[in-house]
């Protein structure tokens, strides 16, 4: 009976012993080109892996025997690989060296104080360049933007020089609060309007229209955001430009006003025609 029990226990432990003998351990250190340890690098062998500690060391157990590829990756570094041979029940040392690499940032749109992925703001950002603004001779930026930004309605309130036009990007959202968009010049929100900005100093105008693009500004961007980038100094030779325009005006229809006697006669004839005129003192 005792011999049967020992045989049964041996049969149960045999697969675990065979499995332990059919695997090995891979350990080592991940460093950069200067030899400094790299912390937080992901090291993987097949579907098994580990993350390096502060000293750059890692250890992966239960690696099947045979030729295995050790792969180390980390953001900001190029991937490093090494092929090692794992024997049953053995420990293999595999040190890897990572090389720094520039991280390419593509498909990003600068919006306000941060950035967003381009697919999040497609169709929500409209841009007007300085060449388009200078095509119209006007002292108002609002007049230059008329008809150039889809979904942006600009209404002139008056013809006084420097007057601010009414701008609606997302329609009328409130009956009592302001419906004007937030105006940001070189990253700084301003309290004034477009009439306070010289069109000649503008490099580009970006209009943020939908919620995902304006969310970075919080409640102030609920009516849309107008981002204005002004011109800045550039390296190179000094360049001076001079722009001038002129125009003529004339009155199309000159009206000849009544003189005093003519106006009195006009009123007299009007009353006489209506049968309401009475000649004083027998005058005709």
């Amino acid at each position: 009976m005792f011999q049967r029990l020992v045989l049964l226990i041996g049969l149960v432990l045999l697969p675990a012993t065979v499995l332990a003998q059919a695997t090995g351990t891979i350990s080592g250190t991940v460093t950069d080109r200067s030899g400094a340890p790299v912390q937080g690098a992901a090291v993987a062998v097949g579907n098994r892996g580990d993350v390096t500690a502060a000293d750059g060391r890692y250890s992966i157990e239960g690696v099947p025997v045979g030729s295995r590829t050790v792969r180390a990756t980390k953001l900001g570094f190029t991937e490093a690989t090494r092929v090692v041979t794992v024997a049953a029940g053995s420990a293999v040392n595999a040190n890897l060296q990572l090389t720094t690499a520039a991280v390419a940032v593509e498909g990003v749109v600068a919006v306000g104080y941060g950035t967003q992925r381009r697919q999040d703001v497609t169709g929500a950002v409209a841009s007007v360049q300085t060449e388009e603004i200078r095509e119209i001779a006007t002292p108002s930026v609002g007049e230059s933007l008329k008809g150039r930004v889809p979904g942006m309605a600009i209404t002139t309130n008056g013809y006084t020089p420097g007057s601010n036009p009414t701008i609606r990007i997302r329609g009328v959202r409130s009956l009592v609060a302001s419906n004007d968009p937030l105006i940001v010049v070189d990253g700084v929100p301003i309290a004034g309007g477009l009439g306070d900005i010289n069109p000649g100093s503008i490099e580009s105008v970006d209009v943020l229209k939908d919620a995902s693009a304006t969310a970075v500004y919080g409640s102030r961007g609920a009516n849309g955001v107008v981002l204005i980038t002004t011109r800045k100094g550039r390296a190179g030779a000094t360049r001076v430009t001079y722009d001038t325009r002129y125009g003529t005006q004339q009155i199309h229809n000159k009206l000849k006003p009544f003189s005093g006697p003519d106006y009195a006669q006009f009123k007299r004839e009007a009353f006489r025609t209506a049968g309401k005129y009475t000649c004083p003192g027998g005058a005709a």
Side-chain angles (χ1 to χ4, degrees), residues 232-261:
K232 298 176 178 60
R234 298 179 180 177
T238 302
R239 186 179 64 175
V240 179
T241 60
Y242 175 75
D243 298 330
T244 181
R245 296 182 177 90
Y246 72 91
T248 60
Q249 294 181 346
Q250 62 181 9
I251 300 176
H252 293 286
N253 186 17
K254 294 184 179 180
L255 300 178
K256 182 179 179 181
F258 282 127
S259 63

PDB file of all heavy atoms in Angstrom, residues 232-261:
ATOM      1  N   LYS A 232       6.506  88.220 -36.424  1.00  0.00           N
ATOM      2  CA  LYS A 232       7.659  88.272 -35.528  1.00  0.00           C
ATOM      3  C   LYS A 232       8.921  88.493 -36.342  1.00  0.00           C
ATOM      4  O   LYS A 232       8.948  88.266 -37.548  1.00  0.00           O
ATOM      5  CB  LYS A 232       7.774  86.961 -34.731  1.00  0.00           C
ATOM      6  CG  LYS A 232       6.562  86.698 -33.832  1.00  0.00           C
ATOM      7  CD  LYS A 232       6.669  85.367 -33.149  1.00  0.00           C
ATOM      8  CE  LYS A 232       5.494  85.139 -32.216  1.00  0.00           C
ATOM      9  NZ  LYS A 232       4.192  85.150 -32.923  1.00  0.00           N
ATOM     10  N   GLY A 233       9.959  88.926 -35.665  1.00  0.00           N
ATOM     11  CA  GLY A 233      11.227  89.178 -36.326  1.00  0.00           C
ATOM     12  C   GLY A 233      11.848  87.894 -36.838  1.00  0.00           C
ATOM     13  O   GLY A 233      11.702  86.832 -36.240  1.00  0.00           O
ATOM     14  N   ARG A 234      12.541  87.999 -37.958  1.00  0.00           N
ATOM     15  CA  ARG A 234      13.208  86.852 -38.568  1.00  0.00           C
ATOM     16  C   ARG A 234      14.663  87.163 -38.812  1.00  0.00           C
ATOM     17  O   ARG A 234      15.047  88.312 -39.047  1.00  0.00           O
ATOM     18  CB  ARG A 234      12.526  86.477 -39.895  1.00  0.00           C
ATOM     19  CG  ARG A 234      11.057  86.063 -39.736  1.00  0.00           C
ATOM     20  CD  ARG A 234      10.456  85.744 -41.082  1.00  0.00           C
ATOM     21  NE  ARG A 234       9.049  85.351 -40.945  1.00  0.00           N
ATOM     22  CZ  ARG A 234       8.256  85.076 -41.973  1.00  0.00           C
ATOM     23  NH1 ARG A 234       8.728  85.152 -43.212  1.00  0.00           N
ATOM     24  NH2 ARG A 234       6.998  84.729 -41.768  1.00  0.00           N
ATOM     25  N   ALA A 235      15.475  86.115 -38.755  1.00  0.00           N
ATOM     26  CA  ALA A 235      16.908  86.294 -39.000  1.00  0.00           C
ATOM     27  C   ALA A 235      17.160  86.604 -40.470  1.00  0.00           C
ATOM     28  O   ALA A 235      16.452  86.118 -41.343  1.00  0.00           O
ATOM     29  CB  ALA A 235      17.658  85.025 -38.586  1.00  0.00           C
ATOM     30  N   GLY A 236      18.164  87.421 -40.715  1.00  0.00           N
ATOM     31  CA  GLY A 236      18.498  87.764 -42.092  1.00  0.00           C
ATOM     32  C   GLY A 236      18.657  89.255 -42.278  1.00  0.00           C
ATOM     33  O   GLY A 236      18.684  90.035 -41.313  1.00  0.00           O
ATOM     34  N   ALA A 237      18.765  89.661 -43.526  1.00  0.00           N
ATOM     35  CA  ALA A 237      18.963  91.075 -43.848  1.00  0.00           C
ATOM     36  C   ALA A 237      17.693  91.867 -43.565  1.00  0.00           C
ATOM     37  O   ALA A 237      16.583  91.345 -43.617  1.00  0.00           O
ATOM     38  CB  ALA A 237      19.366  91.223 -45.314  1.00  0.00           C
ATOM     39  N   THR A 238      17.874  93.137 -43.257  1.00  0.00           N
ATOM     40  CA  THR A 238      16.748  94.031 -43.003  1.00  0.00           C
ATOM     41  C   THR A 238      15.974  94.293 -44.289  1.00  0.00           C
ATOM     42  O   THR A 238      16.578  94.546 -45.340  1.00  0.00           O
ATOM     43  CB  THR A 238      17.244  95.367 -42.420  1.00  0.00           C
ATOM     44  OG1 THR A 238      17.979  95.097 -41.217  1.00  0.00           O
ATOM     45  CG2 THR A 238      16.073  96.278 -42.101  1.00  0.00           C
ATOM     46  N   ARG A 239      14.675  94.207 -44.209  1.00  0.00           N
ATOM     47  CA  ARG A 239      13.837  94.431 -45.382  1.00  0.00           C
ATOM     48  C   ARG A 239      12.757  95.445 -45.038  1.00  0.00           C
ATOM     49  O   ARG A 239      12.089  95.333 -44.009  1.00  0.00           O
ATOM     50  CB  ARG A 239      13.188  93.128 -45.844  1.00  0.00           C
ATOM     51  CG  ARG A 239      12.418  93.265 -47.149  1.00  0.00           C
ATOM     52  CD  ARG A 239      11.823  91.952 -47.569  1.00  0.00           C
ATOM     53  NE  ARG A 239      10.815  91.483 -46.613  1.00  0.00           N
ATOM     54  CZ  ARG A 239      10.070  90.405 -46.800  1.00  0.00           C
ATOM     55  NH1 ARG A 239      10.239  89.663 -47.875  1.00  0.00           N
ATOM     56  NH2 ARG A 239       9.183  90.049 -45.898  1.00  0.00           N
ATOM     57  N   VAL A 240      12.617  96.445 -45.884  1.00  0.00           N
ATOM     58  CA  VAL A 240      11.629  97.495 -45.677  1.00  0.00           C
ATOM     59  C   VAL A 240      10.612  97.447 -46.808  1.00  0.00           C
ATOM     60  O   VAL A 240      10.990  97.411 -47.988  1.00  0.00           O
ATOM     61  CB  VAL A 240      12.298  98.891 -45.622  1.00  0.00           C
ATOM     62  CG1 VAL A 240      11.240  99.967 -45.420  1.00  0.00           C
ATOM     63  CG2 VAL A 240      13.322  98.938 -44.494  1.00  0.00           C
ATOM     64  N   THR A 241       9.343  97.415 -46.473  1.00  0.00           N
ATOM     65  CA  THR A 241       8.279  97.416 -47.480  1.00  0.00           C
ATOM     66  C   THR A 241       7.356  98.595 -47.228  1.00  0.00           C
ATOM     67  O   THR A 241       7.207  99.060 -46.087  1.00  0.00           O
ATOM     68  CB  THR A 241       7.463  96.113 -47.428  1.00  0.00           C
ATOM     69  OG1 THR A 241       6.864  95.983 -46.127  1.00  0.00           O
ATOM     70  CG2 THR A 241       8.354  94.912 -47.692  1.00  0.00           C
ATOM     71  N   TYR A 242       6.747  99.076 -48.294  1.00  0.00           N
ATOM     72  CA  TYR A 242       5.819 100.208 -48.188  1.00  0.00           C
ATOM     73  C   TYR A 242       4.591  99.890 -49.027  1.00  0.00           C
ATOM     74  O   TYR A 242       4.704  99.591 -50.224  1.00  0.00           O
ATOM     75  CB  TYR A 242       6.481 101.500 -48.680  1.00  0.00           C
ATOM     76  CG  TYR A 242       5.541 102.689 -48.710  1.00  0.00           C
ATOM     77  CD1 TYR A 242       5.160 103.322 -47.536  1.00  0.00           C
ATOM     78  CD2 TYR A 242       5.042 103.156 -49.918  1.00  0.00           C
ATOM     79  CE1 TYR A 242       4.293 104.402 -47.559  1.00  0.00           C
ATOM     80  CE2 TYR A 242       4.178 104.233 -49.960  1.00  0.00           C
ATOM     81  CZ  TYR A 242       3.798 104.852 -48.770  1.00  0.00           C
ATOM     82  OH  TYR A 242       2.942 105.920 -48.800  1.00  0.00           O
ATOM     83  N   ASP A 243       3.433  99.916 -48.404  1.00  0.00           N
ATOM     84  CA  ASP A 243       2.175  99.651 -49.095  1.00  0.00           C
ATOM     85  C   ASP A 243       1.313 100.907 -49.047  1.00  0.00           C
ATOM     86  O   ASP A 243       1.199 101.564 -48.005  1.00  0.00           O
ATOM     87  CB  ASP A 243       1.414  98.495 -48.419  1.00  0.00           C
ATOM     88  CG  ASP A 243       2.209  97.197 -48.486  1.00  0.00           C
ATOM     89  OD1 ASP A 243       2.974  97.028 -49.444  1.00  0.00           O
ATOM     90  OD2 ASP A 243       2.067  96.375 -47.557  1.00  0.00           O
ATOM     91  N   THR A 244       0.704 101.229 -50.169  1.00  0.00           N
ATOM     92  CA  THR A 244      -0.189 102.382 -50.204  1.00  0.00           C
ATOM     93  C   THR A 244      -1.351 102.107 -51.147  1.00  0.00           C
ATOM     94  O   THR A 244      -1.216 101.338 -52.110  1.00  0.00           O
ATOM     95  CB  THR A 244       0.567 103.652 -50.669  1.00  0.00           C
ATOM     96  OG1 THR A 244      -0.332 104.764 -50.668  1.00  0.00           O
ATOM     97  CG2 THR A 244       1.120 103.466 -52.080  1.00  0.00           C
ATOM     98  N   ARG A 245      -2.485 102.682 -50.859  1.00  0.00           N
ATOM     99  CA  ARG A 245      -3.680 102.544 -51.689  1.00  0.00           C
ATOM    100  C   ARG A 245      -4.393 103.886 -51.734  1.00  0.00           C
ATOM    101  O   ARG A 245      -4.278 104.694 -50.814  1.00  0.00           O
ATOM    102  CB  ARG A 245      -4.634 101.479 -51.112  1.00  0.00           C
ATOM    103  CG  ARG A 245      -4.063 100.063 -51.093  1.00  0.00           C
ATOM    104  CD  ARG A 245      -5.099  99.096 -50.542  1.00  0.00           C
ATOM    105  NE  ARG A 245      -4.652  97.714 -50.562  1.00  0.00           N
ATOM    106  CZ  ARG A 245      -4.006  97.122 -49.571  1.00  0.00           C
ATOM    107  NH1 ARG A 245      -3.726  97.813 -48.473  1.00  0.00           N
ATOM    108  NH2 ARG A 245      -3.643  95.861 -49.659  1.00  0.00           N
ATOM    109  N   TYR A 246      -5.127 104.111 -52.787  1.00  0.00           N
ATOM    110  CA  TYR A 246      -5.922 105.335 -52.875  1.00  0.00           C
ATOM    111  C   TYR A 246      -7.225 105.019 -53.599  1.00  0.00           C
ATOM    112  O   TYR A 246      -7.345 104.022 -54.323  1.00  0.00           O
ATOM    113  CB  TYR A 246      -5.155 106.448 -53.604  1.00  0.00           C
ATOM    114  CG  TYR A 246      -5.019 106.227 -55.089  1.00  0.00           C
ATOM    115  CD1 TYR A 246      -5.975 106.741 -55.973  1.00  0.00           C
ATOM    116  CD2 TYR A 246      -3.949 105.503 -55.611  1.00  0.00           C
ATOM    117  CE1 TYR A 246      -5.863 106.531 -57.343  1.00  0.00           C
ATOM    118  CE2 TYR A 246      -3.835 105.288 -56.968  1.00  0.00           C
ATOM    119  CZ  TYR A 246      -4.792 105.812 -57.841  1.00  0.00           C
ATOM    120  OH  TYR A 246      -4.684 105.589 -59.175  1.00  0.00           O
ATOM    121  N   GLY A 247      -8.197 105.874 -53.389  1.00  0.00           N
ATOM    122  CA  GLY A 247      -9.493 105.696 -54.034  1.00  0.00           C
ATOM    123  C   GLY A 247     -10.197 107.029 -54.165  1.00  0.00           C
ATOM    124  O   GLY A 247      -9.831 108.014 -53.515  1.00  0.00           O
ATOM    125  N   THR A 248     -11.195 107.082 -55.026  1.00  0.00           N
ATOM    126  CA  THR A 248     -11.967 108.320 -55.238  1.00  0.00           C
ATOM    127  C   THR A 248     -13.432 108.043 -54.971  1.00  0.00           C
ATOM    128  O   THR A 248     -13.909 106.904 -55.125  1.00  0.00           O
ATOM    129  CB  THR A 248     -11.793 108.827 -56.683  1.00  0.00           C
ATOM    130  OG1 THR A 248     -12.256 107.818 -57.596  1.00  0.00           O
ATOM    131  CG2 THR A 248     -10.330 109.138 -56.966  1.00  0.00           C
ATOM    132  N   GLN A 249     -14.159 109.080 -54.569  1.00  0.00           N
ATOM    133  CA  GLN A 249     -15.591 108.983 -54.295  1.00  0.00           C
ATOM    134  C   GLN A 249     -16.286 110.186 -54.917  1.00  0.00           C
ATOM    135  O   GLN A 249     -15.716 111.281 -55.009  1.00  0.00           O
ATOM    136  CB  GLN A 249     -15.868 108.957 -52.783  1.00  0.00           C
ATOM    137  CG  GLN A 249     -15.350 107.721 -52.077  1.00  0.00           C
ATOM    138  CD  GLN A 249     -15.683 107.732 -50.593  1.00  0.00           C
ATOM    139  OE1 GLN A 249     -16.072 108.764 -50.046  1.00  0.00           O
ATOM    140  NE2 GLN A 249     -15.537 106.582 -49.952  1.00  0.00           N
ATOM    141  N   GLN A 250     -17.514 109.972 -55.331  1.00  0.00           N
ATOM    142  CA  GLN A 250     -18.312 111.076 -55.855  1.00  0.00           C
ATOM    143  C   GLN A 250     -19.790 110.802 -55.576  1.00  0.00           C
ATOM    144  O   GLN A 250     -20.200 109.658 -55.419  1.00  0.00           O
ATOM    145  CB  GLN A 250     -18.086 111.247 -57.357  1.00  0.00           C
ATOM    146  CG  GLN A 250     -18.505 110.035 -58.179  1.00  0.00           C
ATOM    147  CD  GLN A 250     -18.235 110.235 -59.663  1.00  0.00           C
ATOM    148  OE1 GLN A 250     -17.583 111.200 -60.039  1.00  0.00           O
ATOM    149  NE2 GLN A 250     -18.745 109.335 -60.490  1.00  0.00           N
ATOM    150  N   ILE A 251     -20.551 111.889 -55.516  1.00  0.00           N
ATOM    151  CA  ILE A 251     -21.986 111.763 -55.255  1.00  0.00           C
ATOM    152  C   ILE A 251     -22.685 111.407 -56.561  1.00  0.00           C
ATOM    153  O   ILE A 251     -22.527 112.100 -57.577  1.00  0.00           O
ATOM    154  CB  ILE A 251     -22.543 113.077 -54.674  1.00  0.00           C
ATOM    155  CG1 ILE A 251     -21.824 113.408 -53.368  1.00  0.00           C
ATOM    156  CG2 ILE A 251     -24.046 112.973 -54.457  1.00  0.00           C
ATOM    157  CD1 ILE A 251     -22.242 114.743 -52.783  1.00  0.00           C
ATOM    158  N   HIS A 252     -23.452 110.322 -56.562  1.00  0.00           N
ATOM    159  CA  HIS A 252     -24.112 109.876 -57.780  1.00  0.00           C
ATOM    160  C   HIS A 252     -25.323 110.732 -58.127  1.00  0.00           C
ATOM    161  O   HIS A 252     -25.607 110.989 -59.301  1.00  0.00           O
ATOM    162  CB  HIS A 252     -24.547 108.413 -57.626  1.00  0.00           C
ATOM    163  CG  HIS A 252     -23.390 107.481 -57.546  1.00  0.00           C
ATOM    164  ND1 HIS A 252     -22.614 107.131 -58.626  1.00  0.00           N
ATOM    165  CD2 HIS A 252     -22.847 106.825 -56.487  1.00  0.00           C
ATOM    166  CE1 HIS A 252     -21.663 106.298 -58.261  1.00  0.00           C
ATOM    167  NE2 HIS A 252     -21.780 106.106 -56.959  1.00  0.00           N
ATOM    168  N   ASN A 253     -26.065 111.212 -57.148  1.00  0.00           N
ATOM    169  CA  ASN A 253     -27.298 111.956 -57.425  1.00  0.00           C
ATOM    170  C   ASN A 253     -27.346 113.190 -56.530  1.00  0.00           C
ATOM    171  O   ASN A 253     -27.540 113.092 -55.324  1.00  0.00           O
ATOM    172  CB  ASN A 253     -28.517 111.072 -57.165  1.00  0.00           C
ATOM    173  CG  ASN A 253     -29.813 111.763 -57.569  1.00  0.00           C
ATOM    174  OD1 ASN A 253     -29.783 112.750 -58.314  1.00  0.00           O
ATOM    175  ND2 ASN A 253     -30.929 111.259 -57.076  1.00  0.00           N
ATOM    176  N   LYS A 254     -27.141 114.330 -57.142  1.00  0.00           N
ATOM    177  CA  LYS A 254     -27.178 115.584 -56.376  1.00  0.00           C
ATOM    178  C   LYS A 254     -28.614 116.108 -56.318  1.00  0.00           C
ATOM    179  O   LYS A 254     -29.276 116.250 -57.350  1.00  0.00           O
ATOM    180  CB  LYS A 254     -26.282 116.637 -57.026  1.00  0.00           C
ATOM    181  CG  LYS A 254     -24.798 116.279 -56.977  1.00  0.00           C
ATOM    182  CD  LYS A 254     -23.946 117.409 -57.549  1.00  0.00           C
ATOM    183  CE  LYS A 254     -22.466 117.062 -57.465  1.00  0.00           C
ATOM    184  NZ  LYS A 254     -21.629 118.171 -58.020  1.00  0.00           N
ATOM    185  N   LEU A 255     -29.088 116.387 -55.139  1.00  0.00           N
ATOM    186  CA  LEU A 255     -30.449 116.901 -54.941  1.00  0.00           C
ATOM    187  C   LEU A 255     -30.421 118.431 -54.826  1.00  0.00           C
ATOM    188  O   LEU A 255     -29.586 118.988 -54.100  1.00  0.00           O
ATOM    189  CB  LEU A 255     -31.057 116.295 -53.668  1.00  0.00           C
ATOM    190  CG  LEU A 255     -31.181 114.762 -53.644  1.00  0.00           C
ATOM    191  CD1 LEU A 255     -31.747 114.307 -52.306  1.00  0.00           C
ATOM    192  CD2 LEU A 255     -32.055 114.281 -54.786  1.00  0.00           C
ATOM    193  N   LYS A 256     -31.343 119.091 -55.550  1.00  0.00           N
ATOM    194  CA  LYS A 256     -31.446 120.543 -55.484  1.00  0.00           C
ATOM    195  C   LYS A 256     -32.500 120.905 -54.440  1.00  0.00           C
ATOM    196  O   LYS A 256     -33.696 120.631 -54.632  1.00  0.00           O
ATOM    197  CB  LYS A 256     -31.842 121.107 -56.852  1.00  0.00           C
ATOM    198  CG  LYS A 256     -31.910 122.616 -56.874  1.00  0.00           C
ATOM    199  CD  LYS A 256     -32.288 123.138 -58.257  1.00  0.00           C
ATOM    200  CE  LYS A 256     -32.373 124.652 -58.264  1.00  0.00           C
ATOM    201  NZ  LYS A 256     -32.763 125.159 -59.601  1.00  0.00           N
ATOM    202  N   PRO A 257     -32.111 121.482 -53.321  1.00  0.00           N
ATOM    203  CA  PRO A 257     -33.088 121.779 -52.265  1.00  0.00           C
ATOM    204  C   PRO A 257     -33.970 122.982 -52.636  1.00  0.00           C
ATOM    205  O   PRO A 257     -33.619 123.808 -53.490  1.00  0.00           O
ATOM    206  CB  PRO A 257     -32.204 122.091 -51.058  1.00  0.00           C
ATOM    207  CG  PRO A 257     -30.924 122.600 -51.645  1.00  0.00           C
ATOM    208  CD  PRO A 257     -30.741 121.866 -52.941  1.00  0.00           C
ATOM    209  N   PHE A 258     -35.158 123.077 -51.983  1.00  0.00           N
ATOM    210  CA  PHE A 258     -36.061 124.231 -52.165  1.00  0.00           C
ATOM    211  C   PHE A 258     -35.475 125.466 -51.509  1.00  0.00           C
ATOM    212  O   PHE A 258     -34.834 125.378 -50.466  1.00  0.00           O
ATOM    213  CB  PHE A 258     -37.421 123.951 -51.520  1.00  0.00           C
ATOM    214  CG  PHE A 258     -38.310 123.062 -52.344  1.00  0.00           C
ATOM    215  CD1 PHE A 258     -38.882 121.923 -51.789  1.00  0.00           C
ATOM    216  CD2 PHE A 258     -38.620 123.374 -53.655  1.00  0.00           C
ATOM    217  CE1 PHE A 258     -39.705 121.111 -52.528  1.00  0.00           C
ATOM    218  CE2 PHE A 258     -39.440 122.554 -54.406  1.00  0.00           C
ATOM    219  CZ  PHE A 258     -39.992 121.427 -53.845  1.00  0.00           C
ATOM    220  N   SER A 259     -35.767 126.620 -52.130  1.00  0.00           N
ATOM    221  CA  SER A 259     -35.528 127.884 -51.439  1.00  0.00           C
ATOM    222  C   SER A 259     -36.754 128.166 -50.564  1.00  0.00           C
ATOM    223  O   SER A 259     -37.764 127.457 -50.632  1.00  0.00           O
ATOM    224  CB  SER A 259     -35.315 129.022 -52.450  1.00  0.00           C
ATOM    225  OG  SER A 259     -36.489 129.206 -53.231  1.00  0.00           O
ATOM    226  N   GLY A 260     -36.683 129.214 -49.753  1.00  0.00           N
ATOM    227  CA  GLY A 260     -37.818 129.535 -48.874  1.00  0.00           C
ATOM    228  C   GLY A 260     -39.114 129.783 -49.640  1.00  0.00           C
ATOM    229  O   GLY A 260     -40.143 129.141 -49.367  1.00  0.00           O
ATOM    230  N   PRO A 261     -39.121 130.691 -50.623  1.00  0.00           N
ATOM    231  CA  PRO A 261     -40.364 130.935 -51.390  1.00  0.00           C
ATOM    232  C   PRO A 261     -40.837 129.705 -52.160  1.00  0.00           C
ATOM    233  O   PRO A 261     -42.035 129.448 -52.247  1.00  0.00           O
ATOM    234  CB  PRO A 261     -39.972 132.070 -52.339  1.00  0.00           C
ATOM    235  CG  PRO A 261     -38.841 132.756 -51.645  1.00  0.00           C
ATOM    236  CD  PRO A 261     -38.082 131.673 -50.942  1.00  0.00           C
TER     237      PRO A 261
END
